[in-house]
Amino acid sequence: MEKFKITKENGRVIPCISEIPENCGRIVIMTHGMCSSKESDSVAFIMKYMPPRGIGVVAYDQPGHGEEEARQEELRVGNCLDSLAAVEEYVRDKYPAADICYFGSSYGGYILGLYLKLREHAGDKAFMRCSAVVFPQMVLGDVDRELDPHSLQELGEKGYVDVDLGIGEIARYTKGFLDDLRKYDLTGMYDESLPQGVKIRFAHGEKDPVVPVKAVKAFADRHGYPITVVADEGHTISDYPDSPAIVAEKAYELFTEE
C-alpha cells in the first residue's frame, strides 16, 4: 500500500492511500462516509479484494475527517467535491491509460452523486454502498423549512450544532454546511435530470438504521438504477462474515461490465 498526499488549489492537503497492481486497466476512487476515513473497514476490504483481480484502488480523507491534514479543512459540500475532483485529476495524470470508476459509502455516496451531476468526470461507473442520497433530508427533514428555534439558538451560541445520525459518533455541523445541504438536494437534482452516460448501482442493508433503505430503494427504482438489498444487514453491511464480499462482488461486476 502506498501513502501519498495531494495539494488542492486552495492549498489544503488530501491524505491518500492506494493499492495499484501492475498494468491495471481500471482504478476505483473510494469516497468514505461521515465520521469515517480512508482507513475504514469498507476501504480496507475493497483494497484487498480488487487489486488481486486487476483493479487498483485509491482512497482519501474527506474535508473535516481523518487524523491528518484533511481534518483541518472545513466540512463544506463544495470542499468535498473539490477533493474528489483533485483525487481524480491525480489518478488521470499518473495513470492515463486506466479507466476510472467510483465507490461511494454513505455520505460519500451523496457527495459522489453530486459530483457525477455537477462536475466534469472521466469515470462512467459508480457503485453506492448504503448511499445517503437523502442526506439533506436526514439532517434537516424538510430542506425548504427553516431550522427549529433550538438549533438556531445553538448555532448562534456555539457556531455549530451537534447531530446524532446514529453512526456511533456525534457529527458537528456549521451553519454554512447546513446551508449547503439546502442548496445541494441530490434527490431534487436527479428528479430534474440524471447524469448522462454513467452506470450507477446500489447496495444497501435491509436493516440499515442510519440511511433508510426504503427511501434509497425508491430513489434507485425511480431512476432505473439497480439495487441489491442485503438481507438482515445494517449500515456497514458487515454484520455477517459473508456480507462484505457480496458488496465487493456486485461492485466488481459493475466495474468490469462492458
Side-chain angles (χ1 to χ4, degrees):
M1 182 178 69
E2 179 187 1
K3 295 184 177 183
F4 60 97
K5 297 180 179 181
I6 297 170
T7 301
K8 298 167 66 172
E9 289 186 359
N10 64 1
R12 295 292 187 174
V13 174
I14 311 169
C16 306
I17 56 176
S18 67
E19 191 69 51
I20 311 291
E22 290 187 11
N23 303 316
C24 74
R26 295 181 180 87
I27 295 176
V28 179
I29 300 173
M30 295 195 70
T31 305
H32 66 76
M34 188 63 62
C35 299
S36 186
S37 73
K38 66 184 183 303
E39 280 83 19
S40 72
D41 291 341
S42 176
V43 170
F45 191 91
I46 296 298
M47 201 162 272
K48 289 180 180 177
Y49 185 96
M50 294 294 175
R53 292 163 175 80
I55 299 179
V57 180
V58 175
Y60 66 99
D61 286 332
Q62 293 213 68
H65 289 78
E67 300 298 330
E68 301 177 68
E69 292 93 336
R71 178 166 286 277
Q72 305 307 314
E73 184 173 10
E74 184 180 3
L75 175 62
R76 296 292 300 268
V77 169
N79 290 341
C80 292
L81 294 172
D82 290 344
S83 288
L84 178 48
V87 173
E88 178 167 335
E89 182 179 10
Y90 169 89
V91 173
R92 291 175 66 182
D93 288 346
K94 188 168 183 178
Y95 305 98
D99 293 332
I100 292 176
C101 305
Y102 311 97
F103 188 113
S105 294
S106 192
Y107 171 76
Y110 165 69
I111 290 299
L112 175 55
L114 292 173
Y115 182 77
L116 296 172
K117 173 72 175 174
L118 300 174
R119 299 291 183 96
E120 291 187 7
H121 53 275
D124 61 0
K125 297 182 180 73
F127 191 84
M128 305 286 200
R129 184 195 65 80
C130 293
S131 174
V133 292
V134 291
F135 189 79
Q137 289 77 12
M138 289 166 55
V139 175
L140 299 171
D142 183 349
V143 296
D144 296 321
R145 187 179 61 203
E146 287 297 321
L147 291 174
D148 62 88
H150 174 75
S151 296
L152 287 172
Q153 181 179 353
E154 188 176 1
L155 277 172
E157 293 174 352
K158 299 190 298 186
Y160 60 83
V161 292
D162 289 328
V163 178
D164 185 358
L165 294 173
I167 54 180
E169 295 184 40
I170 300 297
R172 182 165 289 178
Y173 299 148
T174 63
K175 185 178 185 304
F177 182 70
L178 296 176
D179 288 342
D180 288 346
L181 297 186
R182 287 194 180 86
K183 176 181 177 182
Y184 294 100
D185 173 14
L186 187 144
T187 58
M189 290 179 179
Y190 275 57
D191 283 344
E192 290 179 0
S193 64
L194 298 177
Q196 297 302 305
V198 182
K199 293 181 179 179
I200 301 177
R201 293 188 180 176
F202 288 77
H204 214 95
E206 179 189 30
K207 297 181 178 179
D208 187 340
V210 180
V211 183
V213 64
K214 183 177 180 179
V216 176
K217 189 175 187 306
F219 176 90
D221 291 345
R222 185 163 69 250
H223 300 306
Y225 296 138
I227 180 169
T228 298
V229 178
V230 185
D232 298 321
E233 271 293 352
H235 187 58
T236 62
I237 315 187
S238 60
D239 294 340
Y240 296 91
D242 295 338
S243 296
I246 293 174
V247 174
E249 287 165 11
K250 291 296 182 181
Y252 179 78
E253 288 174 7
L254 172 65
F255 298 152
T256 57
E257 190 175 279
E258 294 299 332

